[in-house]
């Protein structure tokens, strides 16, 4: 066998055939996966930053509102629901339980984070687009000159020398009130429960002032009934308590953490819920009414709109009196919570204390809720006042007497 020179020069034991050279990539498989993942993250971040959608990342609900008058379609009742057909699509929704049913929906602006609570009606009102967007009706006896339009509806305004505080104050013998000890009683928390509100309206004399919360399906209608019985009314504004949000007054509560513009916007929502009130009063709000920076814009709005302000006396740190005094806003403060302990004995004791305060200072203001026991004991006590030389007056009269004394 013939051997070549190469074979002869090869080292012993190294006669294995030479392996073919393999092509090697400049990176490993793990490095390739890492690069691809990085490109994906960069692409996703770019989309999130430069995407024009202001609602990106926000939960969103789209609600189609159609005017049935604009189409030829007619809803067809089906069982417990209503069936709506259009363009081959079919939706089924539960029919409202009653024509006047309403629901409050919190709507969030995705671009600003602003929250707005909107009351949505059902039944016949929902079928009339113009009626659904119209401002709340003016109560009987209300003066349309004392209203101006806001984005939520009509709110109080001054017209020349005419102010809501004077126009909506209940009638009273102020000459007699100036010479006698007087008491005023404010029943609060009305407008939500129709039964208890009606009891307060019908069972207590017109000189008792009624304070309505802005909630309930139709607080304006109940307020109108109160005015028809010669009660003057005040509007309760939900304000932040110290233990908020564990203790929450309700939607659109005024908060110390919000700016003045945000709280003013919320105030306008409350003001639009009803008309015909002579002034405002706090609903809860021990923290808010004690915070000067938060209260000053609210008192300025009361002044600008010709309203009085009543402090229910629940916050010992309240600065409402000083704020109202600096802007010449008619002001009053509750002296005694008559049903803090809601038993007949304790309510009677509180009423006797209210009478003593009136004799000492010339004027005293009591506050209470519309509990049956409260209405019963207050009503019985009022019937004996004339015999004891005490005059029951509306809140506005007591506020004016407090200012002059």
């Amino acid at each position: 066998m013939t051997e070549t020179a190469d074979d002869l020069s090869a080292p012993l034991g190294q006669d294995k055939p030479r392996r073919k050279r393999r092509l090697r990539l400049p990176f490993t498989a793990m490095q390739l996966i890492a690069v691809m993942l990085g490109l994906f993250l960069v692409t996703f971040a770019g989309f999130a930053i430069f995407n024009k959608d202001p609602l990106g990342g926000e939960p969103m609900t789209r609600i189609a509102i159609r005017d049935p008058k604009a189409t030829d379609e007619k809803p067809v009742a089906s069982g417990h629901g209503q069936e709506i057909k259009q363009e081959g699509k079919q939706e089924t929704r539960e029919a409202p339980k009653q024509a006047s049913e309403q629901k409050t929906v919190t709507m969030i602006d995705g671009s600003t984070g602003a929250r707005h609570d909107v009351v949505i009606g059902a039944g016949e009102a929902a079928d009339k687009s113009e009626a659904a967007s119209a401002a709340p009706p003016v109560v009987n006896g209300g003066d349309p000159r004392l209203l101006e339009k806001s984005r939520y509806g009509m709110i109080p305004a001054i017209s020349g020398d005419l102010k809501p505080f004077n126009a909506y104050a209940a009638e009273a013998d102020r000459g007699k009130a100036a010479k006698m000890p007087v008491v005023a009683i404010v029943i609060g928390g009305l407008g939500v429960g129709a039964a208890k509100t009606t009891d307060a309206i019908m069972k207590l004399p017109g000189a008792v002032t009624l304070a309505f919360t802005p909630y309930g399906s139709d607080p304006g209608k109940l307020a109108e009934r109160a005015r028809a019985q010669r009660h003057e009314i005040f509007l309760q504004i939900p304000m932040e308590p110290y233990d908020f949000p564990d203790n929450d007054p309700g939607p659109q509560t005024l908060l110390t953490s919000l700016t003045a513009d945000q709280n003013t916007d919320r105030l306008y929502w409350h003001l639009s819920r009803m008309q015909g009130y002579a002034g405002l009063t706090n609903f809860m709000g021990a923290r808010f009414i004690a915070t000067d920076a938060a209260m000053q814009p609210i008192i300025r709005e009361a002044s600008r709109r010709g309203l009085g302000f009543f402090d229910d006396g629940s916050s010992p740190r309240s600065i409402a009196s000083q704020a109202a005094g600096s802007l010449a806003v008619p002001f009053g403060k509750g002296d005694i919570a008559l049903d803090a302990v809601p038993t007949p004995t304790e309510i009677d004791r509180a009423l006797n204390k209210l009478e003593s305060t009136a004799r000492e200072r010339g004027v005293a203001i009591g506050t209470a809720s519309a509990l049956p026991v409260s209405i019963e004991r207050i009503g019985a006590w009022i019937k004996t006042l004339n015999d004891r030389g005490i005059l029951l007056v509306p809140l506005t009269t007591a506020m004016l007497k407090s200012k002059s004394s």
Side-chain angles (χ1 to χ4, degrees):
M1 174 173 118
T2 303
E3 296 181 353
T4 65
D6 290 339
D7 294 333
L8 293 174
S9 62
L12 294 174
Q14 300 295 324
D15 56 350
K16 296 180 180 179
R18 183 178 299 175
R19 296 179 180 178
K20 293 182 179 180
R21 193 170 188 177
R22 295 181 180 180
L23 179 62
R24 296 193 177 187
L25 296 175
F27 45 78
T28 66
M30 292 299 295
Q31 290 173 328
L32 177 61
I33 293 174
V35 171
M36 293 178 67
L37 180 60
L39 290 174
F40 173 78
L41 292 175
V42 170
T43 302
F44 180 81
F47 176 80
I49 294 173
F50 297 106
N51 181 30
K52 299 294 185 180
D53 182 10
L55 298 177
E58 289 284 345
M60 179 173 58
T61 301
R62 299 183 183 274
I63 303 175
I65 302 177
R66 300 184 179 89
D67 186 353
K69 296 180 181 179
T71 65
D72 295 332
E73 57 183 314
K74 296 182 180 179
V76 179
S78 176
H80 294 289
Q82 288 182 338
E83 196 172 84
I84 301 174
K85 296 182 179 180
Q86 183 178 9
E87 297 179 359
K89 296 181 181 179
Q90 178 174 310
E91 294 179 293
T92 300
R93 66 183 182 186
E94 186 174 345
K97 296 179 181 179
Q98 56 184 18
S100 61
E101 182 181 0
Q102 293 180 323
K103 294 181 179 179
T104 300
V105 178
T106 300
M107 305 186 73
I108 303 175
D109 186 332
S111 59
T112 65
R115 302 170 65 92
H116 299 291
D117 294 280
V118 180
V119 176
I120 299 177
E124 294 178 359
D127 294 334
K128 300 177 182 179
S129 58
E130 293 183 0
S133 60
V138 181
V139 299
N140 290 342
D143 193 331
R145 294 175 299 171
L146 297 177
L147 294 171
E148 72 177 30
K149 189 175 182 180
S150 76
R151 72 192 189 104
Y152 297 111
M154 304 304 288
I155 60 178
I158 295 174
S159 177
D161 295 331
L162 188 62
K163 299 179 179 180
F165 179 81
N166 306 113
Y168 300 134
E171 295 180 1
D173 188 343
R174 293 182 180 175
K176 188 176 180 180
K179 302 174 183 178
M180 295 178 59
V182 301
V183 295
I185 294 178
V186 182
I187 306 296
L190 303 179
V192 176
K196 71 174 184 179
T197 301
T198 300
D199 279 349
I201 292 171
M202 303 306 295
K203 294 182 179 180
L204 295 173
V208 174
T209 297
L210 305 182
F212 286 75
T213 69
Y215 308 126
S217 60
D218 193 355
K221 184 176 181 180
L222 291 170
E224 178 180 346
R225 186 172 183 182
R227 281 171 46 84
Q229 294 297 317
R230 300 187 180 279
H231 294 280
E232 71 180 15
I233 61 175
F234 271 58
L235 176 65
Q236 291 182 293
I237 306 298
M239 297 179 178
E240 178 185 357
Y242 279 109
D243 52 353
F244 181 86
D246 293 335
N247 195 6
D248 189 350
Q252 301 283 37
T253 293
L254 306 191
L255 302 173
T256 58
S257 58
L258 299 179
T259 66
D261 288 342
Q262 288 172 321
N263 277 324
T264 300
D265 183 74
R266 291 188 171 200
L267 176 66
Y268 286 178
W269 185 87
H270 295 300
L271 296 180
S272 70
R273 295 286 289 153
M274 51 189 280
Q275 288 88 37
Y277 42 89
L280 310 177
T281 179
N282 59 298
F283 179 62
M284 300 173 62
R287 179 191 295 275
F288 192 92
I289 205 170
T291 306
D292 186 75
M295 274 299 295
Q296 286 287 352
I298 306 307
I299 297 297
R300 280 198 298 270
E301 280 295 322
S303 175
R304 191 161 76 90
R305 303 192 174 281
L307 299 167
F309 189 87
F310 175 65
D311 177 351
D312 69 2
S314 59
S315 176
R317 301 179 183 178
S318 172
I319 56 88
S321 176
Q322 301 92 302
S326 65
L327 293 171
V329 172
F331 178 80
K333 184 175 182 179
D335 296 300
I336 299 172
L338 300 175
D339 55 359
V341 180
T343 64
T345 300
E346 292 302 319
I347 292 174
D348 289 346
R349 183 178 287 115
L351 288 168
N352 290 333
K353 185 176 180 181
L354 184 69
E355 181 180 335
S356 299
T357 303
R359 294 186 186 281
E360 293 171 6
R361 298 194 323 212
V363 57
I365 304 174
T367 61
S369 59
L371 294 172
V373 64
S374 303
I375 292 176
E376 191 274 325
R377 296 314 305 154
I378 291 171
W381 178 78
I382 288 174
K383 292 177 181 178
T384 68
L385 279 182
N386 287 336
D387 297 336
R388 299 202 300 277
I390 302 290
L391 182 65
L392 176 70
V393 297
L395 176 59
T396 52
T397 301
M399 292 166 72
L400 292 174
K401 181 168 182 174
S402 296
K403 181 180 179 181
S404 60
S405 59

